[in-house]
Amino acid sequence: MSTAENSAKTSADSPKTSVVDKRVIVTGAAGGIGAALATELIARGARVVLADLSPAVTETATTLESPAESGPDAGADTTGSAHAWVGDVSSVAGIDELIAFADDRLGGVDMYFANAGIIGPGELGENDADWDAIIDVNLRAHIRAAQALIPRWQEAGEGYFVATASAAGLLTQIGSAAYSVTKHASVGFAEWLALTYRDDGIRASVIAPMGVDTDLLRASGADGPAQAAVTEAGTVLTPAAVANVALDAVEAEQFLILPHPEVLDMYRMKGSDYDRWLAGMSRYQHRLNEANRLNEETTHAGND
């Protein structure tokens, strides 16, 4: 290999955005993909605030070499790699408190991983409250965090926003309108951020996996059509595998992060012939519904 070729290869392999010494917030970090992202970020040299509504996030942070203190009376410590914050990241007040906490513990926020999410109601949901909850967590939380962070990142000339969406945000989610719609919106919002603030030095990415071995997957309903649609579509990855792929892509400043590469082929197929894709998905949903009905009948018969 020539010197020029070697230099070009080295340049291509070098990260555009290093996470070393970056001050990072990861939401939904008590477990699953959020905890795995925090683990991988710290392994690569970042300092992280792990945020979650669950108090279990404190224990998660403790395992990552951290003072893991949260709350107004906790002493400031800007040297630890991981700090826990317990609260609601879907509300304006919660996000303001979280960012203030990160400012205190880390001295600022360079990157924000909007990872918190819920599966929401099945089918159409029963009322507005069903939809309000999932819209707040899966979408408005992203919007509210960006509204708080983008102005300071514009002033600094850099910043990075990473949204955890889903392959459902590119394709669909059989069995849940709310999950499908909010994940589509999450992808759309991250896309808008990416193109709008590029000249300000701000980057955005979206993580869109299929099946990942998390509580969220299990919450979609064991053996039901929604879960089967995910688990049958491809390999169910570990959160650590997703985090590793995601951080490599973030460092390369890649917008669309697909831990399951086959999603890109599915997305292209959808775009190339929408009507054919809809018809195929409808047939697939029918098959899943029939399989679920037979399973329920067998289970009921066995319990008689």
Side-chain angles (χ1 to χ4, degrees), residues 33 36-38 40 44 238-248:
I33 294 174
L37 285 168
E40 186 64 23
R44 298 187 186 208
T238 65
V242 172
N244 186 61
V245 170
L247 265 295
D248 283 349

Side-chain angles (χ1 to χ4, degrees), residues 129-171:
D130 280 346
W131 280 79
D132 285 342
I134 193 170
I135 289 172
D136 271 347
V137 176
N138 290 6
L139 176 61
R140 289 195 182 111
H142 299 200
I143 297 169
R144 291 163 176 163
Q147 288 172 332
L149 290 168
I150 291 295
R152 62 161 69 186
W153 286 349
Q154 286 178 302
E155 185 175 346
E158 62 179 343
Y160 212 129
F161 191 96
V162 183
T164 299
S166 166
L170 300 171
L171 305 170

Side-chain angles (χ1 to χ4, degrees), residues 167-212:
L170 300 171
L171 305 170
T172 196
Q173 177 61 58
I174 287 175
S176 177
Y179 189 79
S180 180
V181 168
T182 55
K183 291 303 183 179
H184 272 77
S186 173
V187 172
F189 182 65
E191 176 185 284
W192 187 88
L193 292 179
L195 66 90
T196 301
Y197 298 108
R198 175 170 289 272
D199 287 347
D200 294 319
I202 297 168
R203 299 292 179 260
S205 295
V206 63
I207 309 169
M210 286 196 294
V212 185

Side-chain angles (χ1 to χ4, degrees), residues 85-166:
W85 181 87
V86 179
D88 181 5
V89 299
S90 70
S91 70
V92 173
I95 287 170
D96 287 345
E97 290 174 13
L98 171 59
I99 292 173
F101 179 84
D103 286 341
D104 184 50
R105 294 304 188 275
L106 307 179
V109 180
D110 303 307
M111 307 180 80
Y112 191 95
F113 283 73
N115 172 75
I118 59 174
I119 192 67
E123 301 302 331
L124 286 172
E126 296 182 359
N127 49 50
D128 281 353
D130 280 346
W131 280 79
D132 285 342
I134 193 170
I135 289 172
D136 271 347
V137 176
N138 290 6
L139 176 61
R140 289 195 182 111
H142 299 200
I143 297 169
R144 291 163 176 163
Q147 288 172 332
L149 290 168
I150 291 295
R152 62 161 69 186
W153 286 349
Q154 286 178 302
E155 185 175 346
E158 62 179 343
Y160 212 129
F161 191 96
V162 183
T164 299
S166 166

